[in-house]
Amino acid sequence: KPATALGELRKVIAEYASGDAVDEALFDMGDAFHRLHACTDARATLEALVRTQPRSPLLTRARDKLRELQRAPRGYCTS
């Protein structure tokens, strides 16, 4: 459930800001926003991952997801 996951992922980021799970939490948040058709939030979250976690093994997947967002069909994004 993407909407429920967002609250938990925000907690992980807030409580463990310097931890090694932040990149995964950001990626999962971006994915959850994407599933909820909140493309602006998904894009911002994934861009934050790319910008703040330069050594993350999830960078390639985050960039792929950003490209997917750019190609989203008309009407898919609600924001």
Side-chain angles (χ1 to χ4, degrees), residues 5-6 8 15 18-19 21 23 25 35 37 41-44 56 61 64 66 68 71-72 74 77-79:
L6 286 171
E8 295 303 314
E15 294 177 17
S18 61
D23 61 340
R35 291 172 188 252
H37 305 268
D41 291 330
R43 189 173 298 108
S56 172
R61 290 179 60 200
D64 289 345
L66 284 165
E68 185 179 334
R71 296 188 311 261
R74 173 169 279 192
C77 299
T78 58
S79 65

Side-chain angles (χ1 to χ4, degrees), residues 7-66:
E8 295 303 314
L9 292 165
R10 281 188 178 109
K11 286 181 190 176
V12 169
I13 293 168
E15 294 177 17
Y16 304 101
S18 61
D20 59 357
V22 171
D23 61 340
E24 190 169 339
L26 286 168
F27 181 83
D28 291 344
M29 279 183 73
D31 186 54
F33 280 128
H34 182 238
R35 291 172 188 252
L36 293 169
H37 305 268
C39 298
T40 302
D41 291 330
R43 189 173 298 108
T45 305
L46 293 166
E47 287 172 350
L49 165 60
V50 171
R51 186 178 59 256
T52 65
Q53 306 293 316
R55 291 191 169 97
S56 172
L58 296 170
L59 287 180
T60 300
R61 290 179 60 200
R63 289 184 178 117
D64 289 345
K65 183 68 79 173
L66 284 165

